[in-house]
Every structure is written in C-alpha cells, then in structure tokens.
C-alpha cells in the first residue's frame, strides 16, 4: 500500500499513479512481493506540487532497495520513468 500524505506539499494524480506503478515494477523485477509493504510519501515543502512521472524511477528503486536491506546513498540523483519490465 502506498500512501501520499496531504501537506505540507502534494503529489499530482499523475505522480501518484506513476510512483505506485514504479514500486510494483521494481519489486516485480526483483521477484519481491509487495503484499506486506506500506510506503508513506511526503512532500515536505508547503505549496509545492510534485507532478509528472520523472520521479517514479528513483522512488521505485529506493523502495525496492530498502525492501532487500540496501539504501540508496544520499546525494544520488536519478530521473526517469520505470518501464513495464523494470527498466529506467
């Protein structure tokens, strides 16, 4: 389950949809089950709306990495959409 916190900022509907799909696709590409996952996403900046799908790859990779016990190092930047086969 993916939750998008209301406030201080927000995710557009497109960003929410692409992010949810990226998490599922990343998990699937690693043969992981998302049945017991709960992910909370927050935009910490008031008045900011995250739109589009270019953040979906980073979130998908980050969530999948955490699920297997790894973390994406701070300072790493990625932009792109997660494809149906888990590619970026």
């Amino acid at each position: 389950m993916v939750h998008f916190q209301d406030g201080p900022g927000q995710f557009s509907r497109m960003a929410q949809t692409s992010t949810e799909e990226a998490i599922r696709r990343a998990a699937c590409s690693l043969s992981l089950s998302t049945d017991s996952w709960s992910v909370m996403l927050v935009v910490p900046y008031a008045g900011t709306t995250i739109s589009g799908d270019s953040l979906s790859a980073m979130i998908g990779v980050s969530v999948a990495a955490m699920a297997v016990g790894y973390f994406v190092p701070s300072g790493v930047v990625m932009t792109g959409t997660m494809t149906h086969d888990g590619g970026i």
Side-chain angles (χ1 to χ4, degrees):
M1 168 104 24
V2 180
H3 304 277
F4 297 91
Q5 182 173 326
D6 293 329
Q10 63 185 355
F11 290 86
S12 71
R13 187 69 209 135
M14 179 183 199
Q16 290 179 24
T17 301
S18 63
T19 298
E20 290 171 340
E21 288 192 19
I23 291 169
R24 280 193 291 277
R25 291 172 182 167
C28 182
S29 72
L30 296 171
S31 300
L32 299 172
S33 172
T34 61
D35 291 347
S36 63
W37 294 11
S38 185
V39 177
M40 172 63 77
L41 298 169
V42 178
V43 177
Y45 307 106
T48 301
T49 300
I50 305 296
S51 59
D53 59 358
S54 62
L55 79 149
S56 66
M58 186 65 181
I59 293 176
V61 167
S62 296
V63 170
M66 288 188 287
V68 296
Y70 294 107
F71 294 91
V72 176
S74 64
V76 171
V77 177
M78 178 189 300
T79 184
T81 303
M82 183 84 57
T83 63
H84 292 285
D85 64 354
I88 298 172

